[in-house]
Amino acid sequence: MFSTTFSNALRYYWTNGRFNYSLRVFIALIGIILPCWYLKQTAAITPLVLGIIAGALAETDTNLKAKSKALLVTLTCFAIAAFSIEILFPYPWLFALGLGASTVIFILLGAMGSRYQPIAFSSLLLAVYTMLDAKNSTNMWQQPMLLLGGAAWFGVLSLVWRYRWPRLSLQQNIANVFSTLHQFFETKSQLFYPLGSYDVKPLRLQSVQRNTEVVNALNNAKRSLLQYNTGRERTFSNRYLTLYFVAQDVHERINASHYLYHELAKTFQYNDVLFRFERLLQEQARVCERIAEKLAKGEPYRHQHHSVHRLDELRLSIQHLETQSHPAWREPLRQLHFLYQNLAKIEQLLSQVSQADISAYSQERELRDDDPKGFAGRWQRVKQHCQLSSPLMRHAIRLSIALVGGYAIIQGLEMERGYWILLTTLFVCQQSYSATRIRLKERVGGTLGGLLAGIPMLLLLPSIEGQLVMMVISGVLFFYYRQHNYALATFYITLLVMLCFNQIGEGFAVVLPRLYDTLTGCLLAVLVVTFILPDWQSKRLKPIMASTITAHRDYLAQIIVQYRLGKNDSLAYRVSRRDAHNQDVALNTVISNMLKEPERHQIDIEACYRFMSLSNALLSYISAIGAHRAQLDEEQIHQLVAQTHRTIHYQLTALSQRLNGEKVDVSQCIETFDDALKQWQESDNMVASLIVQQLRLIQAIFPEMFSLVDNLKR
């Protein structure tokens, strides 16, 4: 029993992405600290450790060939950064000019693709690391080579790790998709509460947040699949690609809204049918949770039949309600039937995870890669950002001014250890004001805590061996918490820095300067994001709203075409669906970030939140139409659907145009929609009834959306 429990725990931690990443850092740190301690070369420990940190931060999740190329690019950028610091350090004016120019260049380098962004940041970080001890360098080679040595050692270790265990990151990313779906199902289940007076608005906002988490997880999984779908890794990545497609379909279906749920709650508040929907959704949430656990551990998933029983119970409950022939229940019962069909299809999709049947998704297995290809494509992407309207260029200029300003303070006050100002500024100064504000609080709190804890630690651990052990522990914990709790990560990196400098007899000497420099660097970061080319979210809001509405319009158009030609999960359809969700997430992010900005730079928050809620509802109504795609054989019905869709399409276009400042009249279009629906005769065609019902729901939210847009202040 104990051996089984220990084996399961070991497998869980081994397949945990954070733990696995931290384990590599642990081996890398041990690999340089032990030899340096044995050879009594403790002075080399600090630059080697800093090189490992920079190399680990530059790492990207790519296939083995791309990872090898990325390591060469990383070491080249690191060498340029380190040696340029050594060469220009004695010449302050040239140094300042080079610092400002290189900052802009490295930040724009990140525009070449997702794998270049961490390399660009880490190159600037290594440049600052080189400054920390440049004054004491005996020659221009020693410190840069040690820093590069640490980075190269971690890079080689990562290559070996990647070759030996190629699928760990991919299976973790796919598992995370199902983990976020589990949370989404749980949130959706709360909507099926048979009480006519409960408030659904908080649940709607929570649903928006859950959808954001699922979309981000799907995007991370897609990036991993694009990197793994090559060479010897193609075989196992095919299974994960199928799981990704299953997750996409499940997401479309669980995001769908077939009816106004509070109206269903009023109608069936004295029946148990909504409780059965809730129980089924909760059971499917547990299924997603079990799938995530099995995928994370690399174990086969065996589908159980608890949710099948829940489906049967729900079907019988709906049939019982139908036998009562209640006239007021006719339309609500039809919607319950659509909901049941949708959840039954979700059950079928989740059951496929047991075998991940590739043939079920054999029509088209291509993924769109948004990263540019080749030198020409990457250079073109960089050129697109070489203008002040680009947020990336504005960030590059702000960061450049902040770093040069920090260097000017160091030179003007003749600060001996002032380069921590630049280090803090680099970490705190983010692309948006809200992100900078959050990072500032975390950085100050973590640094203060680390300094307060570091002083007694240096007193209680006077031996070199004890301090080296704590260096390893601090370094590992920094990377473990870096992306999940930055304040705690800052706490551990502060301890690591104090221990590193204590190896050269300056442990206590860096305490107060580290605190002063942190506060100064944070102040610089706040000043530049506030006053230098500020990128207030309120100015981006209407363009993002317009792009979101356009993406929803195009997604709906792709769906309606398939009611003529038949269901087909083509690349064009999947791209339009993903774009619609990505834009919905972008709108949510902009509004959330705007709330963290100064009040004078905000616009009507209540109206913005309402628009976001309606936009998400619009996407949910469209998703419901997409979830039930099927070819319409009756020409008359198809013509009606096409006519009503044209009016919806026109109004979505007009809404986007109004957000861009154009005036478009839609009154006649609304009359056309109403006239088209008058021609509709109720029939037994359930698919046609669903489409008309969903288009009615979409049409019903347009008046409020147009009103919000017209009254929204710029």
Side-chain angles (χ1 to χ4, degrees):
M1 178 67 72
F2 174 77
S3 61
T4 303
T5 303
F6 178 77
S7 175
N8 289 336
L10 187 62
R11 176 174 291 183
Y12 170 78
Y13 283 111
W14 172 251
T15 54
N16 181 281
R18 292 167 62 190
F19 180 85
N20 199 277
Y21 183 39
S22 302
L23 182 60
R24 266 179 290 156
V25 175
F26 173 78
I27 295 173
L29 291 173
I30 289 292
I32 60 103
I33 287 178
L34 282 180
C36 288
W37 169 77
Y38 182 77
L39 298 172
K40 302 187 185 306
Q41 297 293 324
T42 54
I45 290 177
T46 297
L48 285 170
V49 167
L50 295 178
I52 289 174
I53 292 172
L57 292 175
E59 187 182 33
T60 55
D61 180 26
T62 58
N63 60 64
L64 191 62
K65 181 179 179 181
K67 202 175 189 69
S68 302
K69 292 181 179 179
L71 179 58
L72 291 176
V73 173
T74 299
L75 294 177
T76 301
C77 291
F78 281 10
I80 293 172
F83 283 109
S84 62
I85 295 298
E86 291 287 346
I87 293 171
L88 298 177
F89 196 79
Y91 313 102
W93 286 104
L94 288 177
F95 185 93
L97 182 63
L99 177 62
S102 61
T103 299
V104 173
I105 291 171
F106 277 126
I107 293 297
L108 289 179
L109 176 68
M112 295 173 62
S114 56
R115 77 181 66 170
Y116 292 95
Q117 293 169 5
I119 295 175
F121 173 82
S122 298
S123 298
L124 290 172
L125 179 63
L126 190 105
V128 178
Y129 282 161
T130 310
M131 299 176 201
L132 295 177
D133 202 39
K135 190 175 182 180
N136 301 321
S137 296
T138 56
N139 59 71
M140 67 171 288
W141 298 98
Q142 182 179 2
Q143 186 174 224
M145 293 307 296
L146 288 172
L147 289 166
L148 288 171
W153 158 233
F154 183 84
V156 171
L157 178 63
S158 291
L159 287 176
V160 173
W161 206 277
R162 180 70 174 74
Y163 179 81
R164 180 63 183 83
W165 298 285
R167 69 178 69 185
L168 281 175
S169 178
L170 177 57
Q171 72 184 40
Q172 189 65 40
N173 283 332
I174 297 294
N176 189 46
V177 172
F178 283 93
S179 180
T180 55
L181 281 172
H182 156 243
Q183 298 294 332
F184 202 178
F185 272 88
E186 287 282 1
T187 300
K188 276 284 188 175
S189 70
Q190 298 176 47
L191 290 169
F192 293 89
Y193 193 76
L195 185 64
S197 59
Y198 80 109
D199 186 9
V200 298
K201 289 182 180 179
L203 292 177
R204 281 289 187 188
L205 291 176
Q206 188 178 2
S207 181
V208 171
Q209 182 58 39
R210 295 303 185 201
N211 185 58
T212 298
E213 293 168 359
V214 176
V215 171
N216 289 334
L218 283 167
N219 287 338
N220 289 335
K222 189 189 81 168
R223 281 191 288 269
S224 289
L225 285 165
L226 287 168
Q227 298 300 333
Y228 281 76
N229 200 28
T230 58
R232 73 186 187 99
E233 298 154 349
R234 186 184 299 275
T235 301
F236 73 78
S237 70
N238 278 335
R239 167 176 164 76
Y240 290 109
L241 181 60
T242 300
L243 293 173
Y244 172 78
F245 287 147
V246 169
Q248 274 195 322
D249 286 352
V250 170
H251 176 224
E252 180 176 52
R253 290 182 175 277
I254 192 58
N255 186 62
S257 290
H258 294 74
Y259 203 63
L260 302 176
Y261 294 117
H262 60 280
E263 295 294 335
L264 289 177
K266 291 177 182 178
T267 303
F268 299 108
Q269 59 182 315
Y270 302 116
N271 296 277
D272 67 351
V273 66
L274 293 187
F275 276 125
R276 295 185 185 279
F277 273 105
E278 182 183 28
R279 288 183 63 193
L280 175 58
L281 282 164
Q282 289 173 348
E283 182 59 43
Q284 291 180 334
R286 286 189 285 271
V287 170
C288 290
E289 186 179 29
R290 288 195 293 271
I291 292 173
E293 290 174 355
K294 293 297 184 181
L295 286 174
K297 294 178 181 178
E299 298 175 351
Y301 168 73
R302 296 289 179 264
H303 191 66
Q304 301 175 358
H305 297 287
H306 300 299
S307 48
V308 175
H309 298 322
R310 299 283 185 268
L311 267 174
D312 289 339
E313 293 171 357
L314 178 58
R315 176 177 54 80
L316 293 173
S317 181
I318 295 174
Q319 287 177 355
H320 174 69
L321 291 174
E322 288 174 338
T323 60
Q324 298 182 35
S325 301
H326 199 302
W329 290 359
R330 184 184 180 195
E331 184 58 31
L333 279 173
R334 179 174 290 198
Q335 300 311 316
L336 291 184
H337 183 75
F338 290 140
L339 283 166
Y340 170 81
Q341 283 186 323
N342 193 38
L343 296 182
K345 183 60 178 178
I346 289 176
E347 176 62 26
Q348 180 184 345
L349 288 167
L350 293 176
S351 68
Q352 291 179 1
V353 176
S354 296
Q355 68 272 8
D357 185 12
I358 292 177
S359 63
Y361 293 89
S362 59
Q363 287 182 327
E364 192 168 344
R365 300 179 58 80
E366 185 182 355
L367 294 174
R368 182 181 70 174
D369 190 354
D370 295 320
D371 280 348
K373 296 292 179 289
F375 177 79
R378 295 189 181 100
W379 174 243
Q380 184 63 32
R381 181 70 66 84
V382 172
K383 285 174 62 177
Q384 291 174 2
H385 288 277
C386 291
Q387 49 188 336
L388 284 181
S389 59
S390 166
L392 187 66
M393 171 60 85
R394 295 162 80 92
H395 172 60
I397 294 173
R398 286 195 297 265
L399 184 59
S400 174
I401 292 174
L403 293 178
V404 173
Y407 178 70
I409 292 174
I410 295 169
Q411 293 296 313
L413 299 179
E414 298 182 354
M415 302 172 70
E416 185 177 352
R417 299 181 182 87
Y419 293 99
W420 295 110
I421 295 175
L422 306 187
L423 187 65
T424 300
T425 301
L426 182 62
F427 275 104
V428 172
C429 187
Q430 301 295 302
Q431 195 161 326
S432 69
Y433 177 91
S434 58
T436 302
R437 179 180 168 182
I438 294 172
R439 185 58 61 88
L440 181 147
K441 294 180 180 178
E442 295 171 335
R443 188 78 183 180
V444 172
T447 299
L448 184 59
L451 293 175
L452 291 176
I455 294 173
M457 183 180 294
L458 294 178
L459 295 173
L460 295 173
L461 293 174
S463 66
I464 292 179
E465 291 78 8
Q467 292 178 20
L468 293 179
V469 169
M470 286 307 303
M471 282 177 61
V472 173
I473 294 173
S474 299
V476 170
L477 290 175
F478 164 70
F479 281 97
Y480 185 81
Y481 288 108
R482 181 174 66 92
Q483 292 183 333
H484 297 81
N485 190 332
Y486 187 74
L488 197 54
T490 303
F491 171 86
Y492 286 114
I493 197 65
T494 301
L495 289 180
L496 177 64
V497 167
M498 290 184 66
L499 292 166
C500 282
F501 276 83
N502 199 56
Q503 306 309 305
I504 57 176
E506 295 187 2
F508 291 101
V510 300
V511 174
L512 288 179
R514 179 86 162 99
L515 180 59
Y516 296 151
D517 293 348
T518 296
L519 295 175
T520 304
C522 288
L523 179 61
L524 276 173
V526 171
L527 288 175
V528 295
V529 298
T530 304
F531 298 108
I532 306 295
L533 298 174
D535 203 10
W536 305 117
Q537 300 300 297
S538 57
K539 296 181 179 179
R540 300 179 56 211
L541 187 58
K542 283 200 171 184
I544 290 290
M545 286 179 170
S547 299
T548 302
I549 296 301
T550 300
H552 293 352
R553 180 200 66 189
D554 295 342
Y555 176 29
L556 178 60
Q558 284 286 338
I559 293 171
I560 296 299
V561 166
Q562 297 198 17
Y563 280 97
R564 163 68 81 174
L565 304 177
K567 181 179 178 180
N568 182 11
D569 288 324
S570 63
L571 178 62
Y573 175 77
R574 288 184 281 109
V575 166
S576 67
R577 179 174 62 187
R578 191 56 35 209
D579 285 346
H581 282 283
N582 283 335
Q583 284 299 135
D584 197 61
V585 170
L587 178 60
N588 179 28
T589 302
V590 166
I591 293 175
S592 299
N593 287 342
M594 187 175 65
L595 280 177
K596 302 180 182 71
E597 295 179 346
E599 191 171 339
R600 65 182 181 277
H601 295 294
Q602 299 178 11
I603 56 179
D604 195 335
I605 296 299
E606 186 176 348
C608 291
Y609 263 121
R610 183 57 183 160
F611 185 92
M612 180 183 71
S613 179
L614 291 173
S615 172
N616 185 258
L618 171 63
L619 179 57
S620 298
Y621 297 150
I622 295 173
S623 295
I625 305 176
H628 295 274
R629 281 169 291 150
Q631 188 170 4
L632 290 173
D633 296 325
E634 299 179 44
E635 182 63 26
Q636 183 180 0
I637 293 177
H638 177 76
Q639 290 298 330
L640 172 67
V641 169
Q643 182 181 356
T644 52
H645 168 250
R646 279 194 294 271
T647 62
I648 296 292
H649 185 92
Y650 180 85
Q651 290 175 89
L652 287 169
T653 302
L655 187 60
S656 177
Q657 290 173 336
R658 284 202 189 180
L659 284 162
N660 287 322
E662 302 177 38
K663 294 295 183 181
V664 184
D665 182 28
V666 294
S667 57
Q668 186 176 358
C669 187
I670 296 174
E671 294 174 2
T672 303
F673 183 87
D674 293 336
D675 291 340
L677 289 186
K678 288 177 183 177
Q679 303 171 21
W680 169 249
Q681 300 293 327
E682 294 294 340
S683 71
D684 295 331
N685 191 313
M686 297 290 287
V687 175
S689 297
L690 169 74
I691 300 172
V692 171
Q693 171 63 31
Q694 295 304 117
L695 293 178
R696 278 175 174 155
L697 290 173
I698 293 172
Q699 179 66 36
I701 66 175
F702 278 153
E704 186 176 0
M705 294 190 82
F706 276 104
S707 176
L708 288 170
V709 169
D710 291 340
N711 296 326
L712 200 62
K713 296 178 181 178
R714 285 194 172 273

